[in-house]
Amino acid sequence: MPEQLLFAMEVTLNGLMAGVLYALVALGFVLIYKASGIFNFAQGVMALFAAMTLVGIMEGQVPFSHLINGVLGTDVHHFGWHVPGALAILLTVGVMVILAWAVQRFVFRHLVNQEPIILFMATIGLAYFLEGLSDLMWGSEIRTLNVGLPQGINETIDRVTYDLFGYGFFIDNLDIVASVIAALLVAALVAFSQYTKQGRAMRAVADDHQAALSVGISLNYIWVLVWSLAGFVALVAGIMWGTKSGVQFSLSLIALKALPVLMLGGFTSIPGAIVGGLIIGVGEKLFEFLLGSALGGATENWFAYVLALLFLLFRPQGLFGEKIIERV
Amino acid sequence: MLYREAGDFNTSYPQDSQTFPIRFDRYRYYVVLAFAFLVVPFLINDYWANAILLPFLIYAIAAIGLNILTGYCGQVSLGTGGFMAVGAYACYKLMTAMPEVSMFVHVILAGGITALVGVLFGLPSLRIKGFYLAVATLAAQFFLVWLFNRVPWFYNYSASGQINAPERDTFGILITGPNAPAWATYLFCLIFLAASALIARNLTRGTMGRSWMAIRDMDIAAEIIGVNPLRAKLSAFAVSSFFVGISGALFFSVYLGAVEVGEAFGINKSFLVLFMVIIGGLGSIFGSFAGAAFLVLLPVALKVVGVDMMGWPTDIVAHFQLVIVGALIVLFLIVEPHGLAQLWRLAKEKLRLWPFPH
């Protein structure tokens, strides 16, 4: 087989893996949008906040230590203990649930019945708030996150492909694990929303707030539940991306990567988020590989958006989005 | 007593349709204009110009531009930073290609070029609506910034990839470059702001503004009663981008002097201008001023209080700023979704009835 084709295959595989990670972030958006009609721009910052909290808890860091030292002149930084990964993840989930409750109680409960665009702007405000809060709580330097996920080149794939084509593919173990976890997460979420009482209530709320309220579903409870779920998805995404490239501010920018995925897949569709993520992941990697050097490189910054834009011109509701019916 | 229409008789149609129908309001407006044009230039120094006045004037123009698109026409745009970059780079290319032409011409031409680019990126709005459009405008943001970063023609093949404003004058007075006097740069920006506000105000209460608002309130209904959505949306994009382009050109040439496109015109700039519009008030020219003033003054005030008075480290203050801006935006949306402009409107209503409210 010609070498170029082999490279292209490797790039495609890596693109698929990256796409899974995009889809993971997009999933959090879809969950909240479906259940409450809120387009949650803060999803990326939630991933950053979750990952920062996880690292902070694992290292036994004192929250707000920099602030306390700066204001009071003390010198506290660590409790001096290390929390094992699994326990730290559990604690972080707890923090995300508290966050979900606070967001619901203090922000969106007061914004019921506002226009979607107002809600969207509120989430941008929330994103700023969370970003500042995570900096204040845990500091703003780059952290390494290691919860015991395997990393590095996958030897088996390297050897098998070498035997087959005479060229070993470079696939990161972490990407494989991430794909498996993402697949499991999606399966679990679908099962949750289809087969449990809470899931059914969630779908009812998504369908019609008032009707759901009138059959006795607590909107507050469902919204806290949805935000907690989104927080959990954000945590998973934060762990994956954080392990891959360190926990730092740029983590929150993956939200911007997830937006074209949403446009492509449709805001209301979980399968759409997955397929959209894969298309974007493969598309941008292949585009960079084929034309990137001719155009000056770093085309990944905009390719996803332009692709989604062109796509929307032909299908304004995305691949799997509900058909938009407009009436006066 | 002061703020009344009683006793103020209009005897001609132009009088009847003037911008400030109440006499007190009109005089206040003239006083503010006179103060800004005739008094401030004599008081200004470099610190005031660079820390507060220039950013305020320039962001106010950008906020007026975005307010036309988002507040009046209802098309949410997250591409403001990208369009400001178009204005800046157009201005740079014009300044270096035609050094002898007045800066006024350059800035206005830069606005015109940005308007063309704006129309181009506004085309998808005819098919894409709501959030999908907001995300689609991000395509403009990222693509334009990438373009100016990667194509050397735009930055005249300079080694650093930056653009630097050369010294240019208008009517013999230096406007750009490090040696330009503070009062000249201030007046230059002020003229553009005053003209922009005047144009925007009169556009938004005329035929064009009404068709924008009809599209905003319900586009299908507007189409049925005979508003041409193509013309309304694209004209909103054009006018909005024109103002945003002017503000980008001023931001680069007069205020910063040297620009690295990702730094100065990144996605954060888009959000900043959007916040100004929200906090100030969607669909209000006064709101654009109020929002710009608020978000320009807030960091300065926080820095004065936090760093100079309390002696906190600067990075903590910077983080607090994020928290406060975020919390304020949420608070504003909860308490007054129509922004500072609505507070102003309510205050005026109260003042009209004072001291005998019903």
Side-chain angles (χ1 to χ4, degrees), chain B residues 8 44 96 133 154 162 171 233 240 276 330:
Chain B
D8 193 0
I44 199 167
T96 46
L133 178 69
F154 286 111
Q162 284 196 340
F171 307 119
K233 283 183 180 175
S240 156
M276 286 172 182
V330 173

Side-chain angles (χ1 to χ4, degrees), chain A residues 17 154 157 171-182:
Chain A
M17 305 282 176
N154 187 311
I157 290 179
I171 308 283
D172 200 318
N173 268 325
L174 180 65
D175 287 339
I176 299 173
V177 173
S179 318
V180 173
I181 291 179

Side-chain angles (χ1 to χ4, degrees), chain A residues 58-116:
Chain A
M58 278 177 77
E59 290 179 356
Q61 201 190 350
V62 181
F64 299 108
S65 55
H66 191 48
L67 177 67
I68 297 170
N69 296 341
V71 176
L72 301 177
T74 51
D75 185 31
V76 291
H77 45 93
H78 286 91
F79 289 121
W81 63 61
H82 283 265
V83 181
L87 182 60
I89 290 177
L90 272 182
L91 287 173
T92 313
V93 170
V95 173
M96 295 313 281
V97 171
I98 295 172
L99 178 74
W101 174 82
V103 164
Q104 170 56 27
R105 175 69 186 76
F106 295 112
V107 181
F108 289 105
R109 185 192 268 192
H110 303 284
L111 288 171
V112 171
N113 256 343
Q114 291 283 5
E115 285 170 43

Side-chain angles (χ1 to χ4, degrees), chain B residues 70-95:
Chain B
T70 304
Y72 284 98
C73 196
Q75 314 292 310
V76 183
S77 166
L78 297 174
T80 319
F83 293 128
M84 280 176 83
V86 174
Y89 276 76
C91 186
Y92 174 69
K93 289 305 282 186
L94 289 166
M95 278 163 85

Side-chain angles (χ1 to χ4, degrees), chain A residues 1-18:
Chain A
M1 241 190 263
E3 220 163 55
Q4 282 294 320
L5 191 66
L6 283 173
F7 283 152
M9 278 172 69
E10 187 185 11
V11 168
T12 309
L13 274 175
N14 276 313
L16 279 175
M17 305 282 176

